[in-house]
């Protein structure tokens, strides 16, 4: 259930190159990494579909008589995708029906995420021998400005980030204040702080729908590197959209090398799917629902921020501090189940937070079929 590899204290993995995965471990507050070999794979129903593929690979016949009866393994990630294209091309020729994507072909079974593949193959899971309090989580909340009370647009030069608040689960908190820093300096300070504090997880409320896209646009506008990954890389938008409990969400999702991104808005949507007890997913409503609402909480919609900033900027700073507290407490309540699932399921923590039960159960089963080299039912 917890994977066949006993390695402990692994907090994240990232694809380093075509042949390696970098594992990050946290012990006694310090993070180290190790680079290990990785052999991409997919399951195949007909081994002859790779007869035209000339690069190096291994083909293993699997036990049993289920539909996906062969395992194709490669030395390079790009070689695996070349093999997928070769198999689909030959299948299209044989069937007379053009198939351009692995997702539309039932002749092969492929997990397109390299970290999921690596975890299945190695039997490793995250956070073994760790408690939820052992991981380092940073919360982020931003306030943005637009003239004349309009909705702030990160593509416009006259709009800007007013302040960025950061806190963590260890009691630290800091607000980067636009009264003291111009926007480029504020953005550079944000990167420096995240790299210095080195969190395993970055949490925000509507992180994917608003805060992260807004910041990415402002970094691009000022031509500043938003390199907050553990390898200094920028956040990357993942293909497709988030699949929540009620289907595809409008916002995309993002990935960050060596860290996990968690949107507490997604968590509350999943939490409320069966209960239907929340009228909105605004932070002040959630704070009241979960019983940690501050009695002096100021409710402020985004379009009010610019006007309040002009008259009373300190109120915005306090509003950000309250948001940070609410995000942290909300995550304290909703995240532990995903944390302990990550000790079992061969998916990254960020994927576990934003995916449903079906993909988790299937991942557990696929890992064991793979370990036993057994064919897989269609």
């Amino acid at each position: 259930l917890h994977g066949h590899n006993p390695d402990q204290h692994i907090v994240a993995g990232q694809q380093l190159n075509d042949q390696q995965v970098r594992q990050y471990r946290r012990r006694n507050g310090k993070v180290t990494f190790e680079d290990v070999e990785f052999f991409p794979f997919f399951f195949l129903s007909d081994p002859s579909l790779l007869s035209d593929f000339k690069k190096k690979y291994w083909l293993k016949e699997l036990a049993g008589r289920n539909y996906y009866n062969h395992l194709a393994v490669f030395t390079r990630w790009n070689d695996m995708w070349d093999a997928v294209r070769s198999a689909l091309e030959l299948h299209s020729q044989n069937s007379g029906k053009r198939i351009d994507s692995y997702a539309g072909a039932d002749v092969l079974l492929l997990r397109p995420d390299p970290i999921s593949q690596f975890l299945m193959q190695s039997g490793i899971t995250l956070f073994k021998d760790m408690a939820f309090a052992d991981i380092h989580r940073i919360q982020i909340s931003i306030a943005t400005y637009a003239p004349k009370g309009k909705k702030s647009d990160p593509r416009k030069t006259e709009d800007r980030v007013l302040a960025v608040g950061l806190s963590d689960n260890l009691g630290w908190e800091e607000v980067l204040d636009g009264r003291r820093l111009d926007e480029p300096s504020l953005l550079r300070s944000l990167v420096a702080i995240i790299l210095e504090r080195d969190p395993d997880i970055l949490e925000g409320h509507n992180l994917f729908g608003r805060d992260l896209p807004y910041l990415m646009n402002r970094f691009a506008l000022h031509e500043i590197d938003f390199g907050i990954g553990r390898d200094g890389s920028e956040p990357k938008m993942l293909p497709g959209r988030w699949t929540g409990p009620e289907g595809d969400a409008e916002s995309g999702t993002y990935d960050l090398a060596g860290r996990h991104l968690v949107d507490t808005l997604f968590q509350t949507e999943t939490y409320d799917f069966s209960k239907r007890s929340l009228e909105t997913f605004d932070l002040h409503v959630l704070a009241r629902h979960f019983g940690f609402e501050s009695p002096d909480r100021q409710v402020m919609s985004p379009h009010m921020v610019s006007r309040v900033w002009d008259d009373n900027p300190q109120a915005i700073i306090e509003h950000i501090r309250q948001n940070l507290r609410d995000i942290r407490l909300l995550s304290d309540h909703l995240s532990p189940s995903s944390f302990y699932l990550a000790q079992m399921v061969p998916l990254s923590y960020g994927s576990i937070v934003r995916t449903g039960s079906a993909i988790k159960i299937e991942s557990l089963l696929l890992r064991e079929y793979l370990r036993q080299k057994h064919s897989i039912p269609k």
Side-chain angles (χ1 to χ4, degrees):
L1 182 63
H2 289 81
H4 50 274
N5 190 311
D7 281 3
Q8 298 178 343
H9 298 269
I10 297 173
V11 293
Q14 75 173 83
Q15 185 181 14
L16 190 62
N17 52 46
D18 240 13
Q19 297 177 285
Q20 291 178 304
V21 165
R22 176 164 289 178
Q23 296 180 137
Y24 294 92
R25 299 175 191 267
R26 178 176 289 278
R27 278 198 178 99
N28 301 320
K30 294 183 178 180
V31 177
T32 60
F33 66 82
E34 176 188 10
D35 299 336
V36 294
E37 281 190 299
F38 164 52
F39 297 93
F41 65 90
F42 59 78
F43 299 95
L44 194 62
S45 63
D46 180 1
S48 69
L49 291 175
L50 288 179
S51 58
D52 291 344
F53 185 68
K54 304 306 180 186
K55 295 181 180 179
K56 182 179 179 180
Y57 70 100
W58 298 275
L59 196 61
K60 169 73 175 177
E61 186 174 1
L62 302 173
R65 297 183 179 181
N66 290 318
Y67 181 73
Y68 297 106
N69 53 20
H70 282 77
L71 177 68
V73 183
F74 306 85
T75 58
R76 295 178 179 273
W77 183 250
N78 285 338
D79 287 354
M80 183 201 73
W81 283 110
D82 288 342
V84 169
R85 286 187 282 271
S86 180
L88 293 182
E89 182 67 32
L90 191 53
H91 177 63
S92 296
Q93 293 174 12
N94 295 341
S95 65
K97 182 180 178 182
R98 184 71 190 174
I99 298 175
D100 295 317
S101 169
Y102 75 92
D106 62 4
V107 293
L108 57 85
L109 177 63
L110 166 69
R111 279 293 177 86
D113 172 35
I115 298 305
S116 177
Q117 281 205 17
F118 171 73
L119 293 175
M120 280 187 186
Q121 186 181 79
S122 65
I124 288 170
T125 58
L126 303 182
F127 310 139
K128 276 192 175 82
D129 195 41
M130 298 178 73
F132 183 60
D134 294 335
I135 53 175
H136 188 200
R137 298 154 39 220
I138 278 186
Q139 298 78 43
I140 184 170
S141 180
I142 70 172
T144 61
Y145 183 84
K148 299 179 181 178
K150 296 179 181 178
K151 182 179 179 180
S152 187
D153 186 339
R155 299 165 297 180
K156 294 181 177 178
T157 54
E158 62 268 25
D159 294 7
R160 67 185 189 276
V161 178
L162 293 173
V164 176
L166 297 161
S167 65
D168 71 6
N169 59 313
L170 305 175
W172 164 84
E173 183 180 279
E174 185 169 344
V175 177
L176 300 172
D177 191 334
R179 293 173 295 178
R180 301 182 179 93
L181 298 168
D182 61 23
E183 191 177 49
S185 299
L186 186 150
L187 296 176
R188 290 189 183 95
S189 296
L190 170 61
V191 172
I193 289 171
I194 291 176
L195 294 180
E196 180 186 1
R197 307 292 300 189
D198 196 18
D200 306 312
I201 299 165
L202 192 63
E203 301 171 333
H205 196 70
N206 204 12
L207 180 68
F208 295 153
R210 179 178 180 270
D211 289 6
L212 198 54
Y214 196 102
L215 288 170
M216 291 174 74
N217 272 284
R218 299 310 289 181
F219 273 94
L221 185 71
H222 292 291
E223 298 182 340
I224 300 171
D225 186 8
F226 193 18
I228 58 173
R230 274 200 162 117
D231 62 354
S233 62
E234 297 186 315
K236 295 179 181 177
M237 189 172 185
L238 297 173
R241 298 185 297 175
W242 176 61
T243 302
E246 298 185 82
D248 285 350
E250 287 305 313
S251 60
T253 56
Y254 295 81
D255 189 47
L256 188 58
R259 310 189 202 279
H260 308 283
L261 297 170
V262 171
D263 192 329
T264 52
L265 178 63
F266 285 1
Q267 288 181 301
T268 49
E269 288 177 347
T270 302
Y271 161 85
D272 196 51
F273 177 60
S274 60
K275 299 176 178 62
R276 305 289 184 181
S277 56
L278 298 167
E279 67 262 26
T280 75
F281 299 121
D282 293 340
L283 273 174
H284 70 279
V285 173
L286 297 171
R288 187 184 316 126
H289 177 81
F290 289 111
F292 52 80
E293 183 181 30
S294 175
D296 56 351
R297 177 78 154 90
Q298 293 185 14
V299 178
M300 195 178 303
S301 59
H303 72 272
M304 293 171 57
V305 170
S306 300
R307 177 166 47 83
V308 174
W309 180 266
D310 290 335
D311 298 331
N312 184 8
Q314 189 57 35
I316 301 300
I317 302 301
E318 293 307 315
H319 179 67
I320 285 178
R321 293 185 188 278
Q322 185 64 60
N323 284 346
L324 292 172
R325 173 184 176 273
D326 290 346
I327 293 167
R328 185 169 60 256
L329 291 174
L330 186 59
S331 179
D332 286 346
H333 187 84
L334 295 177
S335 292
S337 58
S338 294
F339 172 84
Y340 290 106
L341 276 171
Q343 296 180 344
M344 296 182 276
V345 180
L347 294 171
S348 72
Y349 177 71
S351 296
I352 286 171
V353 168
R354 62 179 180 261
T355 55
S357 298
I359 191 71
K360 298 180 179 74
I361 295 167
E362 185 183 80
S363 297
L364 286 171
L365 292 170
L366 279 177
R367 179 180 63 199
E368 187 61 12
Y369 274 86
L370 180 64
R371 186 182 75 85
Q372 295 197 24
K373 301 297 186 290
H374 199 286
S375 58
I376 296 173
K378 186 176 181 181

